[in-house]
Amino acid sequence: MIILGIETSCDETAVAIVEATRGTCSVRANIVSSQVALHAQWGGVVPNLAAREHLKNIGPVFQAALHEAQLGPNDINLITVTNGPGLIPALLIGTSFARSIAYAWQKPLIGIHHIEGHIYANFIGKRDTTLKFPILALVVSGGHTQLILMRDYLRYEIVGETLDDAVGEAFDKVARILGLGYPGGPAVARLVTENKSKVYDVTLPRPMFKSKNFNFSFSGLKTAVLYETKKHPELLQDKTYLADVAHEFQQAVIDVLISKTLAAAQKYNPKMILLAGGVSANQELRKQLGEELHQKLKDTSYIIPRTSYSVDNAAMIATAGYYRWQRLSPTEKSNAQNTWKTLSTEANLPLL
Ligand code: KG4
Ligand code: ZN
């Protein structure tokens, strides 16, 4: 089965082609056109500018994906597209494009929740028999920070989430405070890796560390970084100081994410723990979470996506589409032929 995936929920225009053979999704093409340089001058994503860029890029990116996979319309069995959550002007470019080709090519179309895509990025290149439920997913992206329990395919229960900022958002805001530019996550991570020596004694809080639930809060941590730097304006030109603040901030985030994931795992006894979303590209988080889980939960496997599938891409959308398609009834599959007429686009699409 060959699946086309389309993703335009934020600032990447992405089209991918995934082939599912004997329960394994392999990527035949994965084209991502990033708008980072455009939005960097504004310090964040500007929705209308993002939409214009998607409109400009979606055709060429689509063509490049077909070319790379050496496939044409007749080879495609299913079209999948992110239909939420995300920025509406941006999402609409992808969903309109997907609906048009589904109509023109007379193919089934299914809408995919962006976070479901991030979760399934973990199963690209793996047999479907790898999935062992219950699964606990730690989702850390620019818009979401959630602990999601999956007791079965397509069954999502949010057991914890951020009460304010998402982790990626906190990274981006802290990067701005430290004058590191946009996007902040990779910039903060790079500063930490390149400056390992600790000179300044910077201490930041671990928010919600001791709370009894699995929720998070990162807005206070970001404010603590702001106060810390305000106390020492004379040090803002000192790269070592900035690196020490960045290091302590990143470690505070990692400590909280690990402790909440462990606590949720103790309650729900998952067979697998997954890391998903753009912040899963963070090497320290990948490593430290892995070490802790390995030590404390011997019978739980820990899966992380390849870093190229951590950040937004369409291969994850096509892969999630494959798993969703497998679970549709024959009637639902035949109805999907008409989805091009009805597919909705929702900024706050719930994960169902
Ligand atoms: O999943 P994603 O690509 O887009 C959303 O769905 O939001 O996540 C983007 C977020 C941004 O906030 C970015 O700063 C963060 O992921 N990010 C990172 C790293 N790479 C991307 N955060 C920390 N460390 C990284 N290496
Ligand atoms: Zn994302």
Side-chain angles (χ1 to χ4, degrees):
M1 174 173 195
I2 307 237
I3 308 129
L4 179 82
I6 297 173
E7 153 67 46
T8 65
S9 67
C10 192
D11 59 347
E12 326 279 355
T13 315
V15 178
I17 296 174
V18 161
E19 180 167 4
T21 320
R22 290 187 299 280
T24 304
C25 286
S26 322
V27 178
R28 297 275 303 256
N30 183 37
I31 311 289
V32 181
S33 167
S34 174
Q35 304 174 6
V36 160
L38 170 76
H39 298 289
Q41 53 191 306
W42 306 98
V45 181
V46 184
N48 283 347
L49 285 184
R52 278 180 199 221
E53 281 299 293
H54 285 311
L55 188 57
K56 195 166 89 191
N57 296 331
I58 187 91
V61 168
F62 168 70
Q63 204 175 28
L66 287 174
H67 181 77
E68 187 169 308
Q70 291 289 300
L71 295 171
N74 290 342
D75 305 307
I76 308 289
N77 306 110
L78 173 67
I79 296 170
T80 61
V81 61
T82 308
N83 66 329
L87 307 169
I88 278 290
L91 284 163
L92 282 171
I93 305 297
T95 49
S96 307
F97 192 86
R99 289 174 64 171
S100 309
I101 47 171
Y103 169 63
W105 291 356
Q106 297 182 31
K107 304 282 177 187
L109 167 67
I110 49 182
I112 298 293
H113 190 285
H114 183 76
I115 296 303
E116 182 170 64
H118 274 303
I119 290 174
Y120 278 96
N122 280 280
F123 298 108
I124 295 173
K126 297 200 175 77
R127 276 291 301 256
D128 50 6
T129 46
T130 318
L131 279 86
K132 298 265 187 302
F133 298 97
I135 292 175
L136 180 67
L138 172 61
V139 177
V140 278
S141 74
H144 291 77
T145 300
Q146 294 177 322
L147 275 163
I148 298 175
L149 181 69
M150 289 175 71
R151 293 186 202 272
D152 201 350
Y153 289 102
L154 312 184
R155 281 186 57 200
Y156 302 98
E157 191 185 325
I158 296 165
V159 297
E161 64 188 329
T162 183
L163 304 176
D164 40 56
D165 291 356
V167 177
E169 193 180 351
F171 265 96
D172 294 338
K173 287 178 177 167
V174 164
R176 206 174 308 158
I177 296 170
L178 300 181
L180 302 177
Y182 174 86
V188 169
R190 212 174 313 118
L191 185 65
V192 177
T193 342
E194 287 169 2
N195 299 270
K196 287 257 189 273
S197 63
K198 240 180 136 199
V199 174
Y200 296 94
D201 190 20
V202 181
T203 313
L204 295 169
R206 269 64 177 156
M208 314 270 294
F209 210 52
K210 298 237 150 62
S211 71
K212 293 268 175 283
N213 53 39
F214 309 122
N215 291 333
F216 306 91
S217 163
F218 293 105
S219 143
L221 179 58
K222 165 206 69 193
T223 311
V225 170
L226 184 66
Y227 286 152
E228 166 62 37
T229 54
K230 283 209 155 134
K231 267 195 301 190
H232 304 289
E234 75 287 0
L235 292 178
L236 281 175
Q237 305 305 323
D238 181 346
K239 207 166 173 200
T240 314
Y241 172 68
L242 297 183
D244 285 351
V245 176
H247 180 275
E248 173 66 3
F249 162 75
Q250 180 174 277
Q251 196 54 51
V253 168
I254 294 175
D255 288 349
V256 174
L257 292 175
I258 290 179
S259 93
K260 294 280 171 170
T261 306
L262 274 174
Q266 263 137 21
K267 173 159 181 191
Y268 296 105
N269 285 317
K271 290 209 170 65
M272 306 181 88
I273 293 183
L274 312 179
L275 187 58
V279 184
S280 73
N282 187 285
Q283 295 299 334
E284 271 306 308
L285 172 61
R286 294 163 81 92
K287 184 171 133 243
Q288 293 187 29
L289 181 62
E291 285 166 1
E292 279 289 316
L293 295 178
H294 186 67
Q295 255 184 29
K296 307 229 162 91
L297 303 172
K298 300 244 179 292
D299 301 325
T300 309
S301 52
Y302 168 58
I303 302 203
I304 42 176
R306 265 175 55 181
T307 43
S308 51
Y309 301 131
S310 283
V311 287
D312 288 350
N313 66 88
M316 68 185 196
I317 302 302
T319 303
Y322 164 75
Y323 282 92
R324 218 162 237 282
W325 180 257
Q326 297 307 308
R327 266 131 215 109
L328 294 186
S329 67
T331 319
E332 287 169 326
K333 282 185 178 164
S334 114
N335 289 345
Q337 289 286 347
N338 289 316
T339 308
W340 66 267
K341 290 183 200 165
T342 56
L343 183 72
S344 68
T345 305
E346 290 180 43
N348 299 313
L349 186 72
L351 183 59
L352 297 173

